[in-house]
């Protein structure tokens, strides 16, 4: 037993050396982690660090990585560099900063919430853009031209011509332009032939000019819009100018008063966002009608709309005459039995009554 015990003991792995005492650690209280989302889509998080003793500690300079400038800060810097009269269009600013226009609009609204940092004037503009069908026509040509170019010199049967690029739409447009003709007396059925030697794709040329930003005549633009090749798009933008309190440094007001601010007294020098006393709160939770009560209310409303009137409902005890005899119910009717009707002594008018 002794040798066996020794052999088992000798096979145990060597114990690791004792670890050195840990370095001072940082504890992050759960209640101290506060994060909020700004109107421009950014997320700011405050991390008050504490040492193991619980006292607030500050990290040495350069220990945190430098944060990239936000969209709002880049917009302020771009507005600072803008030439007189000191205005900037939000569409142009979004293209110059390389961000989506909606993201830039969120940054503008966030800066407006800070006070008189910027002035933003809403503007509306209308422009014409090619639809997906218009992009296809610009790339491959109009349906009528594609159908015309696919027709051979000897023509094609009408059923086969409908299967060519352009289809029925191209055939109807080509017939209206008198580019093709239909011979209904041809051998083998109606046959489609070319009526002119060559054609020019005017629709493709109009879309090319519209895509380049050139103005089209009203008649051509209406025809392209009717064919759903051109879309009228309304653009909403902002004209941004410097405000009376303009600054390139974004100083966001605090939204919460923390215990650390009260303990250190730093709340006296910090800007706070004013309360909005006119904002509506969450609607309080309330009870609801029982489903049977809802059905009864709907049926009651239906009968009232049909012309019925409600009788007094405070007379819960009625005589047997009005309950049964007036309804011509026979004496042997099951409803007169005691297990279906309650009979009372001294009921209506001092006599027997039922309910």
């Amino acid at each position: 037993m002794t040798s066996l015990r020794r052999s088992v003991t000798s096979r145990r792995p060597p114990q690791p050396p004792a670890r050195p005492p840990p370095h001072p650690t940082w504890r992050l209280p759960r209640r101290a982690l506060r994060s909020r989302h700004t109107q421009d889509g950014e997320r700011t998080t405050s991390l008050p660090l504490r040492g193991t003793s619980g006292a607030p500690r500050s990290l040495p300079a350069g220990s945190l990585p430098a944060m990239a400038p936000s969209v709002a800060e880049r917009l302020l810097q771009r507005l600072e560099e803008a030439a007189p009269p000191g205005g900037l269009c939000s569409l142009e600013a979004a293209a110059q900063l390389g961000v989506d226009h909606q993201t830039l609009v969120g940054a503008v609204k966030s800066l407006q919430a800070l006070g008189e940092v910027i002035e933003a004037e809403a503007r509306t503009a209308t422009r014409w853009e090619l639809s997906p069908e218009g992009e296809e026509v610009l790339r491959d040509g109009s349906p009528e031209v594609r159908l015309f170019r696919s027709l051979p010199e000897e023509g094609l049967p009408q059923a086969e011509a409908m299967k060519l690029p352009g289809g029925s739409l191209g055939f109807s447009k080509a017939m209206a332009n008198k580019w093709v003709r239909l011979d209904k007396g041809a051998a083998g059925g109606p046959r489609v032939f070319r009526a002119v030697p060559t054609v020019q794709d005017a629709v493709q040329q109009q879309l090319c000019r519209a895509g380049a930003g050139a103005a089209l005549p009203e008649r051509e633009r209406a025809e392209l819009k009717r064919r759903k090749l051109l879309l009228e798009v309304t653009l909403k933008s902002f004209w941004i100018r410097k405000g009376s309190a303009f600054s390139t440094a974004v100083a966001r007001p605090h939204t919460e008063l923390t215990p650390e601010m009260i303990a250190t007294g730093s709340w006296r020098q910090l800007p706070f966002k004013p309360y909005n006393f006119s904002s509506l709160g969450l609607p309080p939770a309330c009870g609801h009608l029982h489903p049977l009560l809802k059905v009864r209310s709907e049926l009651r409303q239906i009968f009232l709309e049909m012309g019925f009137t409600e009788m007094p409902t405070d007379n819960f005890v009625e005589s047997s005459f009005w309950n049964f005899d007036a309804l011509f119910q026979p004496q042997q009717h099951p409803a007169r039995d005691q297990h279906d009707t309650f009979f009372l002594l001294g009921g209506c008018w001092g006599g027997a009554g039922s309910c």
Side-chain angles (χ1 to χ4, degrees):
M1 291 296 294
T2 305
S3 61
L4 179 60
R5 187 177 304 161
R6 287 179 180 177
S7 63
V8 173
T9 306
S10 61
R11 292 179 182 178
R12 292 180 180 177
Q15 297 295 330
R19 294 182 178 180
H23 295 285
T25 58
W26 302 97
R27 292 189 297 106
L28 182 62
R30 184 182 298 273
R31 62 183 179 86
L33 178 61
R34 299 180 178 87
S35 96
R36 60 188 179 88
H37 292 271
T38 60
Q39 295 183 5
D40 56 354
E42 299 172 347
R43 182 176 180 178
T44 59
T45 307
S46 58
L47 302 174
L49 299 178
R50 292 178 176 270
T52 53
S53 62
R57 299 283 299 274
S58 60
L59 294 178
S63 57
L64 291 177
M67 301 296 292
S70 62
V71 178
E73 293 174 345
R74 295 167 59 190
L75 175 61
L76 292 176
Q77 189 66 30
R78 184 68 186 88
L79 192 60
E80 177 71 17
E81 300 171 356
L88 188 63
C89 179
S90 59
L91 294 173
E92 299 177 359
Q96 295 172 0
L97 298 179
V99 297
D100 185 66
H101 183 253
Q102 292 299 326
T103 303
L104 187 70
V105 170
V108 170
K109 294 181 178 180
S110 177
L111 292 175
Q112 285 180 318
L114 300 180
E116 300 295 332
V117 179
I118 63 171
E119 295 178 0
E121 177 186 355
R123 293 186 176 183
T124 303
T126 303
R127 71 178 183 183
W128 296 89
E129 293 183 355
L130 301 184
S131 64
E133 294 82 0
E135 296 286 350
E136 181 181 358
V137 170
L138 181 62
R139 181 181 64 254
D140 302 329
S142 60
E144 54 268 28
V145 173
R146 282 185 289 172
L147 176 68
F148 179 84
R149 292 173 179 174
S150 301
L151 280 176
E153 294 292 339
E154 64 276 9
L156 281 178
Q158 185 179 8
E160 296 183 9
M162 295 296 103
K163 301 178 182 179
L164 293 177
S168 59
L169 178 61
F171 175 75
S172 61
K173 291 293 182 181
M175 288 289 293
N177 295 335
K178 298 182 179 180
W179 292 350
V180 297
R181 60 182 179 87
L182 180 62
D183 188 3
K184 297 182 179 180
R191 198 173 184 87
V192 182
F193 296 91
R194 291 185 178 184
V196 293
T198 59
V199 294
Q200 291 185 355
D201 198 344
V203 176
Q204 188 180 33
Q205 296 175 2
Q206 294 170 6
L207 292 178
C208 183
R209 296 200 307 269
L216 297 178
E218 181 65 25
R219 184 177 180 180
E220 296 180 1
R221 187 167 62 244
E223 177 63 21
L224 294 177
K225 182 179 179 180
R226 189 186 64 82
R227 295 182 62 173
K228 299 181 179 180
L229 302 178
L230 204 61
L231 300 177
E232 186 176 7
V233 180
T234 302
L235 298 177
K236 296 182 179 180
S237 60
F238 290 90
W239 183 258
I240 311 169
R241 294 186 298 268
K242 298 180 181 179
S244 58
F246 177 79
S247 176
T248 56
V250 180
R252 302 184 183 276
H254 294 268
T255 58
E256 295 182 358
L257 182 63
T258 62
E260 289 79 6
M261 295 179 185
I262 300 177
T264 58
S266 60
W267 60 272
R268 296 184 177 89
Q269 290 79 26
L270 296 177
F272 286 90
K273 186 177 181 179
Y275 281 99
N276 184 9
F277 293 99
S278 61
S279 62
L280 300 178
L282 297 177
C286 57
H288 303 278
L289 289 177
H290 193 274
L292 294 180
L293 293 179
K294 290 183 178 181
V295 174
R296 189 181 73 175
S297 300
E298 293 178 2
L299 294 178
R300 172 180 173 272
Q301 186 64 29
I302 291 174
F303 281 113
L304 290 177
E305 293 177 357
M306 293 173 63
F308 288 87
T309 57
E310 290 184 318
M311 298 176 61
T313 57
D314 55 348
N315 191 12
F316 298 102
V317 180
E318 191 59 82
S319 65
S320 298
F321 174 80
W322 293 112
N323 270 343
F324 304 115
D325 299 339
L327 299 177
F328 300 100
Q329 290 188 3
Q331 295 294 329
Q332 298 81 13
H333 197 278
R336 293 178 180 262
D337 295 339
Q338 293 184 356
H339 59 269
D340 283 339
T341 304
F342 295 95
F343 291 91
L344 304 177
L345 294 177
C348 303
W349 305 291
S354 61
C355 61

